[in-house]
Amino acid sequence: MTDTFRALLIDKTDEGQSVAYTQLTDADLMEGDVTVRVTHSTVNYKDGLAITGKAPILRKYPLIPGIDFSGEVIASGDARYQPGDNVICTGWGVGEAHHGGFSERARVPGEWLVPVPEGWSNADAMTMATAGFTAMLCVLRLEDLGLTPEAGDVVVTGAAGGVGSVAVALLATAGYSVYASTGRPEEVDYFKTLGAKDIVHREEFSGKARPLSKARWAGAVDVVGSSTLANVIAQMKYHGIVTACGLAQGADLPANVMPFILRAVTLAGVESVTVPREARLRAWARLAQDIDMERMKAMTSHIGFDDLAATADKIVRGQTRGRVVVDIA
Ligand code: NDP
């Protein structure tokens, strides 16, 4: 195809980073055997960092940011996908080292794609996207490590954010008594809609962690890192399990070994970028089964393709709530 399409392009010069909408052609796209007409993308924390330039997310310039997208296949050299199929792409360095989702068109290897679950629209798929997928991986990890609702209360940190909100909803659906840790206690109704039993102010996880605190949680999903994660670990019950996937507060971990050697606490890392296809399909199938999409609409806002810069700024300031879907088409 030689026709043009619109994309957000980030470039870096001696003067710094430039971010501009540009017309491109298929020749500008990177390697891959499936070309997709992108209909939706999302704004993740990482996208916020990339667009504002607040952290070195991009590994190549110029690059189209956007770490995930959904859309319709328009050309495919991969037998698993035919023109007209609706697909999801998350991870694999898309929007970091490979042109991403803030574009009307994308080209990626078919191996990076999964089908949009039956009964979902492409917008529904991006209501979940990387954040929902990561939240699902965290819940599956807790379950694979043996956590059950009978073990006791569980806590989700950064609960008003994208990963946190979906984690709260998934844990509630799976029958857990789930507490939402947040700096936005005024959003209590929002958390109850997601299925939280109650909220805990995030101040309860701030400050220097003690070697051990009162044992409170059987399981935890942490997206915040730093002293929050250290305090969560110190509050875990005997045999408690914590997943760590994020660093919204910081990349450090000022914890000590006492919870591990005296309470046999497990700290399990979760990443969503290079998850093998089988594990991806398992997570998306479980999301499709457990997510009440109508309920998720309460935590989703939609923005236009032209609103990316303002939203990127908001997400790095912690001012967005839940998921932000970008209507590209
Ligand atoms: P969001 O910005 O949507 O949510 C982050 C939430 O963290 C905020 O809403 C806020 O929750 C809380 N928070 C922010 N700053 C602080 C702070 N200084 N101290 C305590 N809490 C804070 O981000 P996402 O949900 O999209 O992502 C969360 C994290 O997970 C990010 O670090 C992201 O990079 C990471 N991530 C990692 C993935 C992986 O593959 N490992 C995949 C996806 C995300 P509240 O207002 O409720 O307090």
Side-chain angles (χ1 to χ4, degrees), residues 107-121:
R107 189 197 290 136
V108 295
E111 188 61 22
W112 295 2
L113 298 168
V114 295
V116 170
E118 223 172 293
W120 281 15
S121 66

Side-chain angles (χ1 to χ4, degrees), residues 66 75 97 109 177 205 229 259 262 264 294 321:
S177 161
F205 302 100
L229 176 55
L262 293 183
E294 283 310 306
R321 192 187 75 175

Side-chain angles (χ1 to χ4, degrees), residues 25 35 50 61 81 84 109 118 120 126 131 133 137 144 180 183 219 227 265 271 281:
T25 69
T35 307
Y61 294 92
Y81 298 103
E118 223 172 293
W120 281 15
M126 284 298 103
F133 176 58
L137 292 173
D144 290 346
S227 54
V265 167
E271 73 86 34
L281 292 171

Side-chain angles (χ1 to χ4, degrees), residues 44-46 130-131 134 158-164 181-184 191 202 223-224 228 245-249 270-273 315 318 320 322:
N44 297 277
Y45 189 73
K46 226 181 211 177
T130 299
T134 306
V163 178
S181 163
T182 184
R184 294 183 248 183
F191 293 114
R202 76 186 195 193
V223 310
V224 173
T228 297
C245 72
L247 39 58
Q249 184 182 13
V270 169
E271 73 86 34
S272 65
V273 176
I315 201 164
T320 58

Side-chain angles (χ1 to χ4, degrees), residues 176-188:
Y176 288 89
S177 161
V178 47
Y179 286 72
S181 163
T182 184
R184 294 183 248 183
E186 67 280 6
E187 298 280 8
V188 61

Side-chain angles (χ1 to χ4, degrees), residues 89-173:
C89 186
T90 67
W92 299 116
V94 163
E96 297 181 62
H98 191 101
H99 283 323
F102 297 154
S103 170
E104 290 169 341
R105 206 171 294 165
R107 189 197 290 136
V108 295
E111 188 61 22
W112 295 2
L113 298 168
V114 295
V116 170
E118 223 172 293
W120 281 15
S121 66
N122 289 349
D124 293 342
M126 284 298 103
T127 297
M128 291 295 105
T130 299
F133 176 58
T134 306
M136 188 72 255
L137 292 173
C138 291
V139 174
L140 287 169
R141 194 74 191 273
L142 292 175
E143 291 180 353
D144 290 346
L145 288 166
L147 188 69
T148 60
E150 293 69 41
D153 295 338
V154 298
V155 65
V156 176
T157 63
V163 178
S165 294
V166 181
V168 168
L170 288 169
L171 287 163
T173 301

Side-chain angles (χ1 to χ4, degrees), residues 62-323:
L63 197 88
I64 301 170
I67 65 164
D68 41 29
F69 62 83
S70 61
E72 185 186 329
V73 171
I74 48 181
S76 173
D78 183 317
R80 290 171 292 195
Y81 298 103
Q82 310 305 322
D85 288 352
N86 289 316
V87 290
I88 301 171
C89 186
T90 67
W92 299 116
V94 163
E96 297 181 62
H98 191 101
H99 283 323
F102 297 154
S103 170
E104 290 169 341
R105 206 171 294 165
R107 189 197 290 136
V108 295
E111 188 61 22
W112 295 2
L113 298 168
V114 295
V116 170
E118 223 172 293
W120 281 15
S121 66
N122 289 349
D124 293 342
M126 284 298 103
T127 297
M128 291 295 105
T130 299
F133 176 58
T134 306
M136 188 72 255
L137 292 173
C138 291
V139 174
L140 287 169
R141 194 74 191 273
L142 292 175
E143 291 180 353
D144 290 346
L145 288 166
L147 188 69
T148 60
E150 293 69 41
D153 295 338
V154 298
V155 65
V156 176
T157 63
V163 178
S165 294
V166 181
V168 168
L170 288 169
L171 287 163
T173 301
Y176 288 89
S177 161
V178 47
Y179 286 72
S181 163
T182 184
R184 294 183 248 183
E186 67 280 6
E187 298 280 8
V188 61
D189 290 343
Y190 169 73
F191 293 114
K192 295 252 164 107
T193 308
L194 294 178
K197 186 161 183 200
D198 210 341
I199 57 167
V200 193
H201 199 287
R202 76 186 195 193
E203 278 171 7
E204 293 198 29
F205 302 100
S206 67
K208 190 174 181 323
R210 292 161 51 190
L212 286 173
S213 296
K214 185 165 177 266
R216 197 161 170 203
W217 313 108
V221 171
D222 177 73
V223 310
V224 173
S226 193
S227 54
T228 297
L229 176 55
N231 277 284
V232 167
I233 292 169
Q235 291 184 21
M236 297 309 290
K237 287 182 174 179
Y238 187 72
H239 272 174
I241 309 166
V242 186
T243 62
C245 72
L247 39 58
Q249 184 182 13
D252 57 328
L253 180 52
N256 71 79
V257 299
M258 295 311 239
F260 305 112
I261 65 176
L262 293 183
R263 291 186 185 157
V265 167
T266 298
L267 177 60
V270 169
E271 73 86 34
S272 65
V273 176
T274 59
V275 179
R277 185 174 167 80
E278 280 313 304
R280 269 174 201 269
L281 292 171
R282 175 190 182 213
W284 281 104
R286 176 75 181 274
L287 271 172
Q289 176 193 299
D290 280 12
I291 281 295
D292 176 348
M293 208 38 93
E294 283 310 306
R295 195 194 256 189
M296 288 299 107
K297 287 187 177 148
M299 57 149 234
T300 308
S301 49
H302 284 253
I303 63 162
F305 196 5
D306 291 312
D307 304 324
L308 285 170
T311 310
D313 198 51
K314 273 193 197 160
I315 201 164
V316 293
R317 289 170 192 269
Q319 291 169 354
T320 58
R321 192 187 75 175
R323 304 282 303 121

